[in-house]
Amino acid sequence: MTDLDAGPAHRSAREVLNWSRAGVTPALRAAVDRLPDSMRTIAGYHFGWWDEGGRPTGADAGKAIRPALVLLGTQAVGGTADEALPAAVAVELVHNFSLLHDDVMDGDRTRRHRATAWTVYGVNPAILAGDALLTLALDELAGSGHPAAQQSIRVLSTAVQELLEGQRADLSFEERSDVRLAECVRMAEGKTGALLGASCALGALFGGGRPEQVGHLRSFGERMGLAFQFADDLLGIWGDPAVTGKPVYSDLQNRKKSLPVVAALTSGTSAARELDALYHSGRELAVADLERAAELIELSGARAWSQDQADDLLERAQGHLRAAEAVARAERELDAVARLATRRDR
């Protein structure tokens, strides 16, 4: 096994993510190799390890933010990253379980600059592959032999329940014209914040952290996660497809009730009324409609408000990180990852 704790003393956020991906990928691939061949094929394609014909490829495998939070969370309380490897693999499996399902439910045809798994293998096989990743995640924790394994399973299971409830709420918003901003924030807390918070908590548990350290690191991850969602929703409207891997205005095309959209719709402005008419017109939105919808969100003040919320949440996350009394290097790197994750141009 690679010594995950080796490396330069001062690393940027991108260097930390590269370190996390390089350290976790071999264990992640070994875990996926335990799946039945049919599930393994779809999972490997989704992770970018091979093409639809099983030929190795260098496709984008994602940023590995959640595994990085696990490894850094362990180091933050004085543990070593190597001992937290099963937990890091588990959270990456859960994250990708959710992505496989999200792509089906949202009808997204592109992820990480190539066709989504369900468009290649079919809806039902993609759903089953997602299910397989979820069960594999729990198996990783159960088989780790770590003293914190049982508690970690409960932490991860709770986060998954919150994630699923967040996704349920997100789907329900598509059918409603009366979504309130507060319930949209609660949806994002579950759909995104819960797993990032659990990632930090699992790291602290595997590192033998004190209960108050586990709590503060979990809160750091949850607030970072909500800030991440605000930033991600901005990217879903104004992001560069070369960065996001999705078409421009993809969230607007899908009429997603994302945080900036709901903030705009509930702003009480003339822009809100025009946006509401566009969103609920019942017809396919042309490029000009999408451009106008983005403009209306900005005119309503929702774009600026969303960025302000992301900045405020990042500051609150940093407060919890300081309160955790973390090892200095891990604290710096957790802060760097949080800053990168909440940038609009990441």
Side-chain angles (χ1 to χ4, degrees):
M1 180 185 299
T2 301
D3 181 4
L4 288 173
D5 292 285
H10 301 286
R11 300 181 295 187
S12 69
R14 293 196 183 279
E15 287 172 332
V16 168
L17 295 180
N18 289 337
W19 160 79
S20 169
R21 187 183 301 106
V24 170
T25 296
L28 181 64
R29 294 188 71 144
V32 171
D33 280 344
R34 301 202 306 270
L35 294 175
D37 285 345
S38 59
M39 301 294 101
R40 176 183 173 276
T41 298
I42 299 171
Y45 171 84
H46 170 76
F47 279 112
W49 300 333
W50 47 72
D51 65 16
E52 59 194 81
R55 294 174 290 271
T57 182
D60 182 7
K63 301 178 187 67
I65 287 176
R66 290 154 189 83
L69 293 177
V70 174
L71 302 179
L72 292 176
T74 297
Q75 293 179 329
V77 299
T80 63
D82 280 331
E83 62 189 319
L85 197 55
V89 169
V91 299
E92 188 68 350
L93 289 168
V94 167
H95 174 54
N96 283 277
F97 136 76
S98 73
L99 295 183
L100 280 163
H101 283 201
D102 282 1
D103 286 342
V104 170
M105 289 183 279
D106 294 342
D108 286 337
R109 305 188 68 85
T110 305
R111 178 173 293 280
R112 298 168 182 163
H113 310 285
R114 63 180 191 157
T116 48
W118 72 267
T119 67
V120 175
Y121 299 98
V123 168
N124 292 336
I127 291 172
L128 292 172
D131 294 341
L133 294 186
L134 176 58
T135 59
L136 188 59
L138 298 175
D139 185 63
E140 278 292 301
L141 292 177
S144 68
H146 195 280
Q150 185 174 359
Q151 185 178 358
S152 296
I153 290 172
R154 290 198 297 269
V155 167
L156 188 58
S157 296
T158 298
V160 170
Q161 294 297 333
E162 293 175 8
L163 184 158
L164 295 175
E165 174 57 22
Q167 177 66 3
R168 181 213 60 80
D170 194 21
L171 290 171
S172 75
F173 293 169
E174 297 176 13
E175 309 299 324
R176 293 171 48 195
S177 59
D178 61 342
V179 178
R180 299 184 301 277
L181 189 54
E183 61 181 333
C184 191
V185 170
R186 287 196 299 274
M187 175 274 294
E189 287 173 338
K191 187 173 178 180
T192 305
L195 186 55
L196 270 74
S199 297
C200 293
L202 289 178
L205 286 170
F206 268 70
R210 303 187 307 274
E212 59 270 24
Q213 288 181 303
V214 176
H216 279 300
L217 286 170
R218 185 205 300 267
S219 295
F220 161 77
E222 289 171 344
R223 281 150 185 79
M224 170 194 163
L226 186 52
F228 176 96
Q229 190 61 60
F230 270 103
D232 206 55
D233 284 352
L234 290 169
L235 285 175
I237 300 172
W238 291 281
D240 180 352
V243 175
T244 65
K246 293 185 178 184
V248 67
Y249 304 136
S250 61
D251 282 0
L252 300 181
Q253 182 70 68
N254 293 331
R255 288 182 167 86
K256 285 186 68 69
K257 299 288 177 56
S258 64
L259 288 159
V261 169
V262 174
L265 289 171
T266 58
S267 64
T269 62
S270 58
R273 291 187 288 276
E274 186 177 343
L275 180 64
D276 183 76
L278 263 180
Y279 243 58
H280 301 104
S281 64
R283 60 179 173 81
E284 185 175 351
L285 298 179
V287 172
D289 295 324
L290 299 175
E291 292 173 345
R292 180 57 177 165
E295 182 181 22
L296 291 168
I297 293 168
E298 186 154 12
L299 288 171
S300 74
R303 183 177 186 177
W305 176 83
S306 295
Q307 187 56 52
D308 287 345
Q309 291 297 303
D311 293 342
D312 179 64
L313 285 159
L314 176 59
E315 186 175 338
R316 290 163 59 190
Q318 291 165 330
H320 281 287
L321 181 56
R322 290 190 295 270
E325 299 179 341
V327 172
R329 173 178 168 171
E331 180 178 336
R332 286 195 306 270
E333 293 181 346
L334 281 166
D335 180 69
V337 170
R339 289 176 182 274
L340 177 65
T342 55
R343 269 176 31 194
R344 285 167 291 173
D345 62 347
R346 67 177 186 274

